[in-house]
Amino acid sequence: MSIPTVTRESPVIWPDFLFLIMKNVIFIGAVLMYCAVHGQTVIHRDAEIERMVKEVNADSLQSYVRTMVAFKTRSTVSSTTDSKIGIGAARNWVLAKFNKFAAGSGGRLTAFIDTTTYAADGSRVKNNINLGNTIATLKGADPNDNRIFIISGHLDSRRTDVLDGTNEAPGANDDGSGSAAVIECARIMSRHTFPATIIFVTVSGEEQGLLGSTYMARKAKAANWNIEAVLNNDIMGSNNSNQTDVINNTQVRVFSEGLPAYELDKQAKTIRQLGLENDGKARQLARYVKEIGERYVDNLQVVMIYRNDRFLRGGDHTPYVDNGYAAVRITEMNENFNHQHQDVRTEKGVVFGDLPEFMDFEYLRKNTALNLVNLANLAKAPGMPVDVKVEVRGLSNGTSIAWKASASGHVAGYYVLMRETISPVWQRKIYTTDMTIELPYSKDNYFFAVQAVSETGNESLPVVPAPGR
Ligand SMILES: [Zn+2]
């Protein structure tokens, strides 16, 4: 469809103004009509989220990382009682930061250190330790909304010898970067109100075997928390690898599991029958992180990796996926192994060790913003549509999908998502205010899902329809 044009006729000045308005109205009308005809939806940035992105500050992130490094070591087996050195001093400092933000939050942000005794395990913990996760909770404003979104980083650091809790272990990037992102998101988001709850956590015990995140995920499961997404941030503030000269600060990786770890035996038959091996909760979350991240954060491409984590390696999202929650890992594009799990030293002119001078805080700013926009968009969105069903009573070359309203939030409408079976990302987003849709595309040849969307364009996570008879 071509865009209609208006011929300019009047030379006087005031009609120029009217002419401009009319021209714009006609242009916008033409765009909307194009979209209506082609089933595409124009999506604008939410102004509140856009403002929050501008507040993410590279200098703040750098100051957090340098403060964390100044505790000399944050090993999980270091002192929990020394006021200046060790994991105890570090987690108290994070708590003090959270409490400072809480003071400006109108009582909505509360923080504490969730401690437990972890018994010696004969492996990476030789003596009983006091394990502690520093947690800030930004309570949702809607009492009918029990959804929880979590951002996590690990505060603990390590030396080459993981049992050494005494000597220098700066852990600037691993995982001062992820912890700084958690703190910065708490700083900015605690001044805003969201219907759903957001939890900001710096765990410890990651290097000792995911101890802090395992403790938290199990606790969440036992208390039946309605966690819809966990963003685990680990190693995301360095822009280069130790093997090439390539600098990459415009791409970030998001890892997500394919087949779900949780109760796979119960789901396997349906996954095989419907070809849903690429549509588990974590994979849907990864797709969402990519779409929303690229919508709001300029000059950052989110690269989905079809794997729960890096090759044979682990992270703090895994205890959540093991307990049935959607969780992903966010990590820089290239890792520099000279600066990871290495004692600080110089060998043949090469400096080893995880120091702040090897980081790129502008890159960390973008990766922090990636988290912020996703948490904000999720927490502002209505709940997911429920009982989403694709009609299968008769054979058809079309697709008919129906659903029921979200359990919480203000729904302006719904997006019906569509992609070819070989496409990694959703290719079409069709807006409707109805709760049923008939599409002239076959369910044999495409994947579909439905999201609820608010007046300000914040969409829920998508729900893949179940067969409905
Ligand atoms: Zn790490």
Side-chain angles (χ1 to χ4, degrees), residues 403-450:
W403 57 91
K404 296 194 179 108
S406 309
S408 66
H410 298 286
V411 177
Y414 298 89
Y415 288 134
V416 177
L417 306 177
M418 177 176 165
R419 71 178 206 274
E420 290 175 89
T421 59
I422 57 166
S423 172
V425 292
W426 296 109
Q427 294 167 306
R428 281 194 178 187
K429 222 164 155 117
I430 303 160
Y431 181 72
T432 176
T433 51
D434 298 333
M435 283 191 278
T436 174
I437 195 164
E438 301 273 344
L439 294 165
Y441 301 100
S442 171
K443 56 193 163 295
D444 299 337
N445 303 342
Y446 295 92
F447 287 117
F448 297 95
V450 185

Side-chain angles (χ1 to χ4, degrees), residues 108-127:
R108 290 171 303 112
L109 190 78
T110 53
F112 76 115
I113 303 177
D114 188 7
T115 56
T116 184
T117 301
Y118 183 83
D121 59 14
S123 155
R124 291 187 169 198
V125 178
K126 295 294 182 206
N127 302 300

Side-chain angles (χ1 to χ4, degrees), residues 171-423:
N173 196 33
D174 183 11
D175 183 30
S177 62
S179 297
V182 171
I183 296 167
E184 184 69 347
C185 285
R187 179 180 77 81
I188 296 162
M189 300 184 85
S190 59
R191 298 198 294 258
H192 293 255
T193 304
F194 303 90
T197 293
I198 303 170
I199 294 179
F200 308 87
V201 58
T202 63
V203 301
S204 59
E206 196 272 351
E207 305 289 9
Q208 253 54 31
L210 315 180
L211 306 183
S213 53
T214 300
Y215 171 62
M216 185 154 167
R218 282 186 188 154
K219 205 170 172 178
K221 179 76 181 165
N224 212 14
W225 288 8
N226 183 21
I227 301 171
E228 285 197 355
V230 179
L231 305 180
N232 171 37
N233 294 276
D234 196 351
I235 312 176
M236 59 176 206
S238 160
N239 64 25
N240 60 83
S241 105
N242 51 308
Q243 281 143 310
T244 67
D245 293 333
V246 174
I247 301 287
N248 189 335
N249 56 12
T250 56
Q251 290 182 306
V252 63
R253 293 178 291 174
V254 56
F255 287 83
S256 62
E257 69 174 5
L259 290 174
Y262 183 71
E263 297 187 338
L264 177 59
D265 48 339
K266 287 190 192 163
Q267 305 175 60
K269 188 173 172 229
T270 306
I271 291 169
R272 286 197 72 207
Q273 201 168 31
L274 305 180
L276 295 178
E277 61 271 16
N278 194 13
D279 280 79
K281 277 183 184 179
R283 188 60 47 79
Q284 296 296 4
L285 175 58
R287 244 173 228 130
Y288 185 99
V289 166
K290 178 176 173 62
E291 181 186 345
I292 306 306
E294 292 176 2
R295 181 184 303 169
Y296 286 101
V297 186
D298 295 327
N299 298 312
L300 186 67
Q301 184 198 8
V302 180
V303 178
M304 287 194 290
I305 307 287
Y306 282 6
R307 225 175 226 141
N308 180 54
D309 208 323
R310 300 147 308 153
F311 209 80
L312 297 179
R313 300 173 71 200
D316 285 322
H317 54 305
T318 300
Y320 292 95
V321 298
D322 287 349
N323 281 285
Y325 295 118
V328 296
R329 177 195 184 107
I330 296 167
T331 295
E332 63 203 23
M333 202 61 212
N334 299 300
E335 289 176 73
N336 190 317
F337 298 107
N338 289 351
H339 305 142
Q340 193 181 120
H341 302 184
Q342 293 275 5
D343 296 348
V344 178
R345 66 192 191 281
T346 305
E347 271 177 26
K348 294 177 186 159
V350 178
V351 181
F352 290 83
D354 190 355
L355 298 166
E357 42 266 48
F358 300 120
M359 292 176 65
D360 174 346
F361 291 98
E362 167 56 18
Y363 182 43
L364 180 56
R365 180 195 66 76
K366 288 193 282 185
N367 294 340
T368 302
L370 170 70
N371 280 266
L372 184 147
V373 301
N374 275 284
L375 291 170
N377 207 56
L378 285 164
K380 287 188 80 171
M384 289 186 267
V386 296
D387 218 8
V388 183
K389 294 277 166 65
V390 59
E391 165 64 55
V392 291
R393 267 177 297 188
L395 294 175
S396 160
N397 285 305
T399 299
S400 169
I401 305 169
W403 57 91
K404 296 194 179 108
S406 309
S408 66
H410 298 286
V411 177
Y414 298 89
Y415 288 134
V416 177
L417 306 177
M418 177 176 165
R419 71 178 206 274
E420 290 175 89
T421 59
I422 57 166
S423 172

